[in-house]
Amino acid sequence: MSEFIKPLEWKDEVLYILNQLKLPEVEEYNPKLTVEDVFHAIRDMELRGAPLIGITAGYGLYIGIKDITTEDHDLFMEQVQKVADYLAESRPTAVNLFWALDRMVAKAKTLKELSLEDKKKALLDEAKEIHSEDETINRAIGDNLISVLKDGMSLLTHCNAGILATSKYGTATSPMYIAKEMGWNFKVYADETRPYLQGARLTAYELARGGVDVTLICDNMAGFLMSQGKIDAIITGADRVVANGDTANKIGTMSLAILAKHFNIPFYVAVPTPTIDLTMKTGKEIPIEERGHEEVTSWFGKQIAPQGINVYNPAFDVTPSEFITGIVTEKGIVYPPYEENLKKIFI
Ligand code: MRU
C-alpha cells in the first residue's frame, strides 16, 4: 500500500493542513500561521471530519496563545478562554471541536506554577497528544469492527469518515485498511454524498489511493444496492452520539439506517469516545449546521439551479438509535440499550 495520506502535519513549529477543497486533483498543504487562519480552515472546510476538527482546534488554540507575553496566570487564562471561545464558533455539530477546546483549557488551568514558556510548551504537547491519541483510537476502532466483519464482505459507507477526517486510518474506514494488512478483501461502496461530495472527492480518493476495492455510487442508488443483496454491512462515522444513542452524521445517514433496517443489514456507527456527548439526552438537542445555498445550487462554480431559488441545506441529520446495530468505539462495541450501555464505557 502507498503511504497513508496525512491530512495535517505539525512540522518545524508550523501547522500544515492538506487543502481538502482541492482534492482529488491536487495534494496541496497550506501553512496556518494565525488562529484566524485555523478558524477559516475549519469553517470553510479546507479540513473537515469530527476528529480532525478536534485535532486542528487543539493546535489552533496553541497558535492563538503562543505570542502571549503576560506572566500573570489569570490574564493568561483570559486569553486562552478567548481563543477557545473564538474557535468554538467555527462549526456547531461535531462535538470533538468543543471536547478538544475544553481539554486544552482544562490543561491550561493546571499550569499556574509554570513559567510562561513552559505553559506554552505544555499546551503544544497537549495538542500533539490529542493528535497522536487519535491514531491509536482509530486503530482500535478498526480492530473492533473487524471482529464483526468477514473476509469478502461488501460494505457501504457515507461521507468521509476516513483518514481525511482523522489523524490516520479513519473511523468507518479503519477496518478497510486493516483488512488490507490481513490479506482480506472487502468490496466497498462509497456514497458520493451530496451536496459537498465528501464521498466522491475524499472517500473514493483515499480508499483507491490505499489500494482498497472501492466503487462510487450516487446517494440515491444505495437503497437499490441493498435490495439487490449487494451490501452486507453499512459503516458510517458520527459528529455526535448522545446519551440515548441518537447519532448526528452527514446528511443522508439517517435514510441509509432506515433502509438498512428494512433490508436487515447491520448498520454500525464508528466513533472515538470524544465523539460521545453524554450531556445531551436525545438527538433533538444536537445543533445542526446549515450551510450556504451555493453548495446546492452550483457545481464547481457552474450554476445548476434557477437563480434565486429557495434552498434548504442542513449539513447533518440525526439517526434515531433504534436503527443502529452497534456503536463501535476504541473501547469496544456498544449495543442497545444505549442509554444504559454508553455510560459504561466511561467507567
Ligand atoms: O461536514 P463534514 O465533512 O465535516 O462531515 C463529516 C462527517 O459527517 C463524518 O462522517 C464525521 O465527522 C465522522 S469523521 C470520522
Side-chain angles (χ1 to χ4, degrees), residues 192-251:
E192 66 173 349
T193 317
R194 274 283 286 154
Y196 212 73
L197 299 175
Q198 288 94 331
R201 294 190 301 108
L202 308 177
T203 305
Y205 175 69
E206 67 157 81
L207 289 178
R209 189 183 183 280
V212 176
D213 172 4
V214 57
T215 300
L216 179 64
I217 59 168
C218 298
D219 301 323
N220 49 9
M221 298 172 186
F224 184 56
L225 267 76
M226 291 185 217
S227 76
Q228 290 177 309
K230 283 191 177 355
I231 307 293
D232 296 310
I234 301 173
I235 312 172
T236 72
D239 281 74
R240 197 184 294 236
V241 174
V242 298
N244 72 347
D246 288 354
T247 292
N249 191 49
K250 182 52 55 193
I251 193 78

Side-chain angles (χ1 to χ4, degrees), residues 101-119:
L101 292 171
D102 287 351
R103 177 163 157 175
M104 294 293 287
V105 171
K107 179 73 191 183
K109 284 184 186 155
T110 67
L111 306 175
K112 192 167 188 221
E113 305 308 325
L114 300 189
S115 71
L116 181 58
E117 281 324 296
D118 286 349
K119 282 179 193 170

Side-chain angles (χ1 to χ4, degrees), residues 35 60-70 72-87 105 108 116 120 123:
V35 68
L61 188 131
Y62 168 73
I63 291 169
I65 59 94
K66 73 178 178 17
D67 296 325
I68 292 180
T69 51
T70 180
D72 180 286
H73 189 70
D74 291 340
L75 291 177
F76 177 80
M77 279 313 303
E78 254 177 48
Q79 286 301 311
V80 167
Q81 193 60 56
K82 205 169 142 196
V83 173
D85 291 346
Y86 171 63
L87 287 171
V105 171
L116 181 58
K120 291 178 184 175
L123 285 178

Side-chain angles (χ1 to χ4, degrees), residues 270-288:
V271 284
T273 47
T275 305
I276 300 173
D277 178 3
L278 297 183
T279 68
M280 291 186 178
K281 285 197 177 70
T282 78
K284 287 200 174 73
E285 294 168 64
I286 304 174
I288 298 295

Side-chain angles (χ1 to χ4, degrees), residues 20 42 45 47-53 91 94 96 134 138 157-166 170-173 193 196 198 201-202 236-240 248-251 253 270-272 275 289 291 315-316:
Q20 299 193 17
I42 297 174
M45 292 177 69
L47 68 107
R48 21 65 50 212
L52 189 64
I53 292 172
R91 287 191 77 187
N96 307 58
D134 185 66
N138 297 334
T157 189
H158 189 66
C159 191
N160 175 262
I163 299 174
L164 290 166
T166 63
T171 58
T173 58
T193 317
Y196 212 73
Q198 288 94 331
R201 294 190 301 108
L202 308 177
T236 72
D239 281 74
R240 197 184 294 236
N249 191 49
K250 182 52 55 193
I251 193 78
T253 303
V271 284
T275 305
E289 178 181 17
R291 295 191 62 86
F316 299 94

